Amino acid sequence: MSERTIRIVIAGPRGKMGKEAVKMVTDTEHFQLKAVVDTKNAGKMLKDLEDQPNLEIPVFDDLRTCLSETETDVIIDLTKPDSGKKHLEIALEYGVRPVVGTTGFTDEEIARFSETAEEKGIGVVIAPNFAIGAILMMKFSQMAAKYMPDVEIIEQHHDQKLDAPSGTAMKTAQMIKEVREPKQQGHPEETEDLKGARGGDVDGIRIHSVRLPGRVAHQEVLLGTTGQTLSIRHDTIDRSAFMPGVKMSVETIMKLDVLVYGLENLME
Ligand code: NAP
């Protein structure tokens, strides 16, 4: 093993994102896949799982056992919101750097995990969106909202997504909050005759979530001011779009000793 080789565990290898991550890690010369965590296939090898490469890589059903038995630098978690949080906690306990792609972290949870990461001097990356184009969409929206502060966000995902709104939509709203005064949008006396019709409310910014089979991950940020509107849109049409961001996170996390929330904070 060369000095630069990064030893990796992937949680959720059977998932749509997990499969792409297995491919990316095994295709990257300086990455070494050491094990995977899959609650349904403990004791098997990766090659025994459907649509996986023919590799003798052990499968564990529990991250704690996996990390006690496997020398690991980085765990990539692509499972689901509750296990993403649990795995982050376990990784910190074992001094392993977590790259977490699951969403649904509250501000309080991020603050708490930041504190632990800092105390332990361990890098952590939580990225609600690994697609570089989506990060640019968020940055452009933040720039635009400074001049056009009335904003509505429409996010669309496949119908298997568990949480709503998406982490990207929440993150976009938070970035916009930083550059505009809180304001109530729409008519001051508007009523919502059908519950939820106006979407979720983050400091006056409305978020609308669409779930449909056939969709992957899409977001449109609509900004309006007198006589004009601006639409900023990003479409992820294939999950391979997320892998350059996952790869960058794994490489960068080795040099970090704090928690970084959002891929934009790893980009120049
Ligand atoms: P998916 O196809 O449903 O895959 C999730 C996989 O995780 C499933 O195989 C599931 O196994 C497994 N899993 C659940 N709990 C687990 C646990 N405790 N330990 C090990 N494996 C576990 O979903 P996906 O589309 O790949 O997305 C995965 C996650 O990434 C979701 O949270 C999604 O929101 C997020 N995501 C993030 C980004 C980003 O850019 N950050 C982009 C897309 C998706 P079972 O089948 O046994 O339940």
Side-chain angles (χ1 to χ4, degrees):
M1 194 176 79
S2 85
E3 237 178 83
R4 280 188 63 249
T5 299
I6 303 174
R7 298 164 302 182
I8 298 169
V9 163
I10 296 174
R14 256 185 311 109
K16 294 177 281 300
M17 287 288 282
K19 273 190 192 136
E20 291 289 341
V22 166
K23 191 169 174 321
M24 182 275 289
V25 169
T26 52
D27 284 351
T28 304
E29 206 180 333
H30 59 288
F31 288 178
Q32 186 186 19
L33 184 61
K34 295 288 289 184
V36 296
V37 180
D38 174 347
T39 47
K40 294 191 180 134
N41 287 292
K44 292 188 183 167
M45 290 287 161
L46 190 62
K47 63 178 184 162
D48 304 323
L49 274 52
E50 209 181 312
D51 295 332
Q52 293 290 357
N54 188 22
L55 294 169
E56 297 268 343
I57 287 169
V59 181
F60 292 86
D61 63 353
D62 159 68
L63 183 62
R64 208 170 249 118
T65 320
C66 174
L67 296 184
S68 357
E69 296 182 19
T70 315
E71 287 192 346
T72 310
D73 299 307
V74 175
I75 150 127
I76 302 174
D77 187 277
L78 297 164
T79 57
K80 53 184 186 181
D82 57 343
S83 37
K85 288 174 200 170
K86 195 179 98 193
H87 287 163
L88 201 164
E89 211 146 335
I90 297 171
L92 287 172
E93 194 184 310
Y94 279 80
V96 170
R97 294 170 148 78
V99 169
V100 182
T102 56
T103 50
F105 285 85
T106 63
D107 290 348
E108 291 72 34
E109 284 165 339
I110 289 167
R112 181 163 58 81
F113 286 127
S114 286
E115 213 172 287
T116 315
E118 215 164 318
E119 268 165 32
K120 299 198 170 220
I122 297 172
V124 173
V125 174
I126 303 174
N129 200 320
F130 286 115
I132 285 159
I135 304 305
L136 294 173
M137 175 259 301
M138 289 192 263
K139 282 186 179 258
F140 297 156
S141 303
Q142 188 187 40
M143 281 168 70
K146 210 166 160 183
Y147 303 98
M148 299 174 78
D150 284 75
V151 186
E152 305 244 346
I153 299 171
I154 304 169
E155 59 97 343
Q156 303 185 40
H157 280 82
H158 55 90
D159 63 344
Q160 298 305 303
K161 185 166 173 58
L162 291 173
D163 54 327
S166 70
T168 304
M170 283 302 286
K171 179 75 186 172
T172 310
Q174 278 155 11
M175 286 170 69
I176 290 172
K177 253 173 78 175
E178 287 167 19
V179 298
R180 69 163 218 176
E181 295 297 319
K183 65 176 297 188
Q184 195 214 334
Q185 295 182 181
H187 195 286
E189 287 163 27
E190 79 177 7
T191 57
E192 202 179 48
D193 302 329
L194 178 66
K195 190 173 174 291
R198 290 287 291 120
D201 185 334
V202 179
D203 233 29
I205 303 162
R206 296 291 175 164
I207 303 182
H208 311 268
S209 297
V210 177
R211 296 291 174 264
L212 281 176
R215 287 298 200 200
V216 180
H218 315 258
Q219 181 169 298
E220 188 165 13
V221 181
L222 301 169
L223 304 105
T225 189
T226 326
Q228 56 185 316
T229 62
L230 172 65
S231 307
I232 302 172
R233 181 177 173 112
H234 177 259
D235 296 280
T236 306
I237 47 176
D238 187 281
R239 283 175 181 79
S240 58
F242 299 115
M243 291 308 127
V246 178
K247 186 171 178 221
M248 183 169 94
S249 303
V250 171
E251 285 163 343
T252 316
I253 204 173
M254 295 306 292
K255 298 170 214 140
L256 291 177
D257 52 11
V258 292
L259 181 148
V260 173
Y261 178 60
L263 196 68
E264 65 282 7
N265 295 313
L266 294 183
M267 288 164 73
E268 297 271 305

PDB file of all heavy atoms in Angstrom, residues 10 13 17-28 31 33 46 51-53 240 243:
ATOM      1  N   ILE A  10     -17.501   1.728   2.817  1.00  0.00           N
ATOM      2  CA  ILE A  10     -18.732   2.345   2.281  1.00  0.00           C
ATOM      3  C   ILE A  10     -19.937   1.735   2.978  1.00  0.00           C
ATOM      4  O   ILE A  10     -20.083   0.503   3.018  1.00  0.00           O
ATOM      5  CB  ILE A  10     -18.852   2.127   0.751  1.00  0.00           C
ATOM      6  CG1 ILE A  10     -17.705   2.846   0.024  1.00  0.00           C
ATOM      7  CG2 ILE A  10     -20.206   2.624   0.227  1.00  0.00           C
ATOM      8  CD1 ILE A  10     -17.652   2.583  -1.480  1.00  0.00           C
ATOM      9  N   PRO A  13     -23.765  -0.031   0.234  1.00  0.00           N
ATOM     10  CA  PRO A  13     -23.240  -0.336  -1.116  1.00  0.00           C
ATOM     11  C   PRO A  13     -24.282  -0.825  -2.113  1.00  0.00           C
ATOM     12  O   PRO A  13     -24.062  -0.768  -3.315  1.00  0.00           O
ATOM     13  CB  PRO A  13     -22.219  -1.455  -0.834  1.00  0.00           C
ATOM     14  CG  PRO A  13     -22.722  -2.130   0.394  1.00  0.00           C
ATOM     15  CD  PRO A  13     -23.315  -1.029   1.234  1.00  0.00           C
ATOM     16  N   MET A  17     -26.770   5.268  -4.861  1.00  0.00           N
ATOM     17  CA  MET A  17     -25.553   6.071  -4.669  1.00  0.00           C
ATOM     18  C   MET A  17     -24.383   5.173  -4.271  1.00  0.00           C
ATOM     19  O   MET A  17     -23.256   5.358  -4.716  1.00  0.00           O
ATOM     20  CB  MET A  17     -25.785   7.109  -3.555  1.00  0.00           C
ATOM     21  CG  MET A  17     -26.673   8.252  -3.955  1.00  0.00           C
ATOM     22  SD  MET A  17     -25.840   9.375  -5.092  1.00  0.00           S
ATOM     23  CE  MET A  17     -24.809  10.306  -3.967  1.00  0.00           C
ATOM     24  N   GLY A  18     -24.688   4.201  -3.393  1.00  0.00           N
ATOM     25  CA  GLY A  18     -23.643   3.304  -2.894  1.00  0.00           C
ATOM     26  C   GLY A  18     -22.959   2.556  -4.027  1.00  0.00           C
ATOM     27  O   GLY A  18     -21.737   2.413  -4.049  1.00  0.00           O
ATOM     28  N   LYS A  19     -23.746   2.097  -5.000  1.00  0.00           N
ATOM     29  CA  LYS A  19     -23.181   1.352  -6.143  1.00  0.00           C
ATOM     30  C   LYS A  19     -22.208   2.230  -6.927  1.00  0.00           C
ATOM     31  O   LYS A  19     -21.132   1.792  -7.328  1.00  0.00           O
ATOM     32  CB  LYS A  19     -24.313   0.910  -7.078  1.00  0.00           C
ATOM     33  CG  LYS A  19     -24.900  -0.415  -6.672  1.00  0.00           C
ATOM     34  CD  LYS A  19     -25.836  -0.937  -7.749  1.00  0.00           C
ATOM     35  CE  LYS A  19     -26.611  -2.097  -7.173  1.00  0.00           C
ATOM     36  NZ  LYS A  19     -28.025  -2.089  -7.469  1.00  0.00           N
ATOM     37  N   GLU A  20     -22.612   3.484  -7.136  1.00  0.00           N
ATOM     38  CA  GLU A  20     -21.729   4.419  -7.858  1.00  0.00           C
ATOM     39  C   GLU A  20     -20.451   4.653  -7.054  1.00  0.00           C
ATOM     40  O   GLU A  20     -19.365   4.752  -7.611  1.00  0.00           O
ATOM     41  CB  GLU A  20     -22.435   5.780  -8.068  1.00  0.00           C
ATOM     42  CG  GLU A  20     -23.585   5.741  -9.041  1.00  0.00           C
ATOM     43  CD  GLU A  20     -23.144   5.563 -10.499  1.00  0.00           C
ATOM     44  OE1 GLU A  20     -21.971   5.818 -10.822  1.00  0.00           O
ATOM     45  OE2 GLU A  20     -23.995   5.142 -11.299  1.00  0.00           O
ATOM     46  N   ALA A  21     -20.613   4.724  -5.716  1.00  0.00           N
ATOM     47  CA  ALA A  21     -19.446   4.992  -4.866  1.00  0.00           C
ATOM     48  C   ALA A  21     -18.479   3.813  -4.887  1.00  0.00           C
ATOM     49  O   ALA A  21     -17.257   4.005  -4.935  1.00  0.00           O
ATOM     50  CB  ALA A  21     -19.903   5.299  -3.439  1.00  0.00           C
ATOM     51  N   VAL A  22     -19.014   2.580  -4.873  1.00  0.00           N
ATOM     52  CA  VAL A  22     -18.154   1.380  -4.939  1.00  0.00           C
ATOM     53  C   VAL A  22     -17.341   1.444  -6.235  1.00  0.00           C
ATOM     54  O   VAL A  22     -16.129   1.243  -6.247  1.00  0.00           O
ATOM     55  CB  VAL A  22     -18.999   0.083  -4.888  1.00  0.00           C
ATOM     56  CG1 VAL A  22     -18.169  -1.129  -5.298  1.00  0.00           C
ATOM     57  CG2 VAL A  22     -19.597  -0.115  -3.498  1.00  0.00           C
ATOM     58  N   LYS A  23     -18.013   1.804  -7.330  1.00  0.00           N
ATOM     59  CA  LYS A  23     -17.348   1.873  -8.633  1.00  0.00           C
ATOM     60  C   LYS A  23     -16.255   2.954  -8.607  1.00  0.00           C
ATOM     61  O   LYS A  23     -15.121   2.712  -9.009  1.00  0.00           O
ATOM     62  CB  LYS A  23     -18.421   2.178  -9.696  1.00  0.00           C
ATOM     63  CG  LYS A  23     -17.939   2.027 -11.096  1.00  0.00           C
ATOM     64  CD  LYS A  23     -19.143   2.089 -12.044  1.00  0.00           C
ATOM     65  CE  LYS A  23     -18.760   2.092 -13.496  1.00  0.00           C
ATOM     66  NZ  LYS A  23     -17.600   2.850 -13.890  1.00  0.00           N
ATOM     67  N   MET A  24     -16.619   4.120  -8.084  1.00  0.00           N
ATOM     68  CA  MET A  24     -15.650   5.229  -8.061  1.00  0.00           C
ATOM     69  C   MET A  24     -14.429   4.853  -7.206  1.00  0.00           C
ATOM     70  O   MET A  24     -13.285   5.053  -7.614  1.00  0.00           O
ATOM     71  CB  MET A  24     -16.351   6.482  -7.505  1.00  0.00           C
ATOM     72  CG  MET A  24     -15.512   7.731  -7.450  1.00  0.00           C
ATOM     73  SD  MET A  24     -14.501   7.850  -5.972  1.00  0.00           S
ATOM     74  CE  MET A  24     -15.747   8.162  -4.724  1.00  0.00           C
ATOM     75  N   VAL A  25     -14.678   4.267  -6.016  1.00  0.00           N
ATOM     76  CA  VAL A  25     -13.560   3.950  -5.110  1.00  0.00           C
ATOM     77  C   VAL A  25     -12.670   2.868  -5.717  1.00  0.00           C
ATOM     78  O   VAL A  25     -11.444   2.986  -5.711  1.00  0.00           O
ATOM     79  CB  VAL A  25     -14.100   3.527  -3.718  1.00  0.00           C
ATOM     80  CG1 VAL A  25     -13.001   2.931  -2.857  1.00  0.00           C
ATOM     81  CG2 VAL A  25     -14.736   4.722  -3.012  1.00  0.00           C
ATOM     82  N   THR A  26     -13.295   1.818  -6.275  1.00  0.00           N
ATOM     83  CA  THR A  26     -12.476   0.725  -6.813  1.00  0.00           C
ATOM     84  C   THR A  26     -11.761   1.141  -8.121  1.00  0.00           C
ATOM     85  O   THR A  26     -10.764   0.552  -8.475  1.00  0.00           O
ATOM     86  CB  THR A  26     -13.308  -0.570  -7.021  1.00  0.00           C
ATOM     87  OG1 THR A  26     -14.456  -0.242  -7.798  1.00  0.00           O
ATOM     88  CG2 THR A  26     -13.753  -1.169  -5.707  1.00  0.00           C
ATOM     89  N   ASP A  27     -12.284   2.179  -8.769  1.00  0.00           N
ATOM     90  CA  ASP A  27     -11.627   2.669 -10.001  1.00  0.00           C
ATOM     91  C   ASP A  27     -10.536   3.701  -9.697  1.00  0.00           C
ATOM     92  O   ASP A  27      -9.863   4.166 -10.610  1.00  0.00           O
ATOM     93  CB  ASP A  27     -12.660   3.358 -10.922  1.00  0.00           C
ATOM     94  CG  ASP A  27     -13.533   2.354 -11.652  1.00  0.00           C
ATOM     95  OD1 ASP A  27     -13.231   1.149 -11.587  1.00  0.00           O
ATOM     96  OD2 ASP A  27     -14.532   2.785 -12.265  1.00  0.00           O
ATOM     97  N   THR A  28     -10.424   4.141  -8.460  1.00  0.00           N
ATOM     98  CA  THR A  28      -9.454   5.206  -8.136  1.00  0.00           C
ATOM     99  C   THR A  28      -8.193   4.575  -7.563  1.00  0.00           C
ATOM    100  O   THR A  28      -8.255   3.867  -6.545  1.00  0.00           O
ATOM    101  CB  THR A  28     -10.072   6.226  -7.135  1.00  0.00           C
ATOM    102  OG1 THR A  28     -11.278   6.722  -7.700  1.00  0.00           O
ATOM    103  CG2 THR A  28      -9.129   7.375  -6.848  1.00  0.00           C
ATOM    104  N   PHE A  31      -7.251   4.986  -3.845  1.00  0.00           N
ATOM    105  CA  PHE A  31      -8.275   4.604  -2.865  1.00  0.00           C
ATOM    106  C   PHE A  31      -8.258   3.083  -2.727  1.00  0.00           C
ATOM    107  O   PHE A  31      -8.078   2.371  -3.723  1.00  0.00           O
ATOM    108  CB  PHE A  31      -9.682   5.004  -3.333  1.00  0.00           C
ATOM    109  CG  PHE A  31      -9.982   6.490  -3.286  1.00  0.00           C
ATOM    110  CD1 PHE A  31     -11.209   6.977  -3.734  1.00  0.00           C
ATOM    111  CD2 PHE A  31      -9.057   7.404  -2.790  1.00  0.00           C
ATOM    112  CE1 PHE A  31     -11.506   8.342  -3.696  1.00  0.00           C
ATOM    113  CE2 PHE A  31      -9.342   8.773  -2.750  1.00  0.00           C
ATOM    114  CZ  PHE A  31     -10.573   9.236  -3.213  1.00  0.00           C
ATOM    115  N   LEU A  33     -10.783   0.109  -1.167  1.00  0.00           N
ATOM    116  CA  LEU A  33     -12.023  -0.271  -0.487  1.00  0.00           C
ATOM    117  C   LEU A  33     -11.714  -1.425   0.457  1.00  0.00           C
ATOM    118  O   LEU A  33     -11.301  -2.500   0.017  1.00  0.00           O
ATOM    119  CB  LEU A  33     -13.097  -0.658  -1.518  1.00  0.00           C
ATOM    120  CG  LEU A  33     -14.475  -0.981  -0.934  1.00  0.00           C
ATOM    121  CD1 LEU A  33     -15.070   0.226  -0.195  1.00  0.00           C
ATOM    122  CD2 LEU A  33     -15.443  -1.423  -2.036  1.00  0.00           C
ATOM    123  N   LEU A  46     -18.229  -8.826  -1.085  1.00  0.00           N
ATOM    124  CA  LEU A  46     -18.835  -7.890  -2.044  1.00  0.00           C
ATOM    125  C   LEU A  46     -19.242  -8.615  -3.337  1.00  0.00           C
ATOM    126  O   LEU A  46     -20.303  -8.369  -3.904  1.00  0.00           O
ATOM    127  CB  LEU A  46     -17.846  -6.752  -2.345  1.00  0.00           C
ATOM    128  CG  LEU A  46     -18.389  -5.566  -3.126  1.00  0.00           C
ATOM    129  CD1 LEU A  46     -19.493  -4.843  -2.386  1.00  0.00           C
ATOM    130  CD2 LEU A  46     -17.280  -4.590  -3.492  1.00  0.00           C
ATOM    131  N   ASP A  51     -24.848  -7.178  -8.861  1.00  0.00           N
ATOM    132  CA  ASP A  51     -24.319  -5.986  -9.560  1.00  0.00           C
ATOM    133  C   ASP A  51     -23.111  -5.360  -8.880  1.00  0.00           C
ATOM    134  O   ASP A  51     -22.943  -4.140  -8.914  1.00  0.00           O
ATOM    135  CB  ASP A  51     -25.399  -4.873  -9.662  1.00  0.00           C
ATOM    136  CG  ASP A  51     -26.565  -5.275 -10.507  1.00  0.00           C
ATOM    137  OD1 ASP A  51     -26.370  -6.096 -11.417  1.00  0.00           O
ATOM    138  OD2 ASP A  51     -27.681  -4.774 -10.240  1.00  0.00           O
ATOM    139  N   GLN A  52     -22.313  -6.176  -8.216  1.00  0.00           N
ATOM    140  CA  GLN A  52     -21.120  -5.611  -7.577  1.00  0.00           C
ATOM    141  C   GLN A  52     -19.879  -6.215  -8.204  1.00  0.00           C
ATOM    142  O   GLN A  52     -19.934  -7.311  -8.774  1.00  0.00           O
ATOM    143  CB  GLN A  52     -21.122  -5.909  -6.064  1.00  0.00           C
ATOM    144  CG  GLN A  52     -22.215  -5.207  -5.287  1.00  0.00           C
ATOM    145  CD  GLN A  52     -22.012  -3.691  -5.159  1.00  0.00           C
ATOM    146  OE1 GLN A  52     -21.020  -3.148  -5.608  1.00  0.00           O
ATOM    147  NE2 GLN A  52     -22.975  -3.017  -4.557  1.00  0.00           N
ATOM    148  N   PRO A  53     -18.724  -5.526  -8.098  1.00  0.00           N
ATOM    149  CA  PRO A  53     -17.516  -6.082  -8.713  1.00  0.00           C
ATOM    150  C   PRO A  53     -17.081  -7.381  -8.045  1.00  0.00           C
ATOM    151  O   PRO A  53     -17.403  -7.624  -6.875  1.00  0.00           O
ATOM    152  CB  PRO A  53     -16.472  -4.971  -8.517  1.00  0.00           C
ATOM    153  CG  PRO A  53     -17.033  -4.028  -7.523  1.00  0.00           C
ATOM    154  CD  PRO A  53     -18.516  -4.208  -7.495  1.00  0.00           C
ATOM    155  N   SER A 240     -24.013   9.332 -11.373  1.00  0.00           N
ATOM    156  CA  SER A 240     -22.549   9.468 -11.529  1.00  0.00           C
ATOM    157  C   SER A 240     -22.155  10.937 -11.335  1.00  0.00           C
ATOM    158  O   SER A 240     -21.001  11.231 -11.014  1.00  0.00           O
ATOM    159  CB  SER A 240     -22.123   8.965 -12.906  1.00  0.00           C
ATOM    160  OG  SER A 240     -22.809   9.686 -13.901  1.00  0.00           O
ATOM    161  N   MET A 243     -20.296  11.689  -8.065  1.00  0.00           N
ATOM    162  CA  MET A 243     -19.046  11.029  -7.653  1.00  0.00           C
ATOM    163  C   MET A 243     -17.797  11.925  -7.636  1.00  0.00           C
ATOM    164  O   MET A 243     -16.978  11.786  -6.737  1.00  0.00           O
ATOM    165  CB  MET A 243     -18.814   9.755  -8.464  1.00  0.00           C
ATOM    166  CG  MET A 243     -19.838   8.678  -8.112  1.00  0.00           C
ATOM    167  SD  MET A 243     -19.935   8.363  -6.318  1.00  0.00           S
ATOM    168  CE  MET A 243     -21.691   8.559  -6.002  1.00  0.00           C
TER     169      MET A 243
END
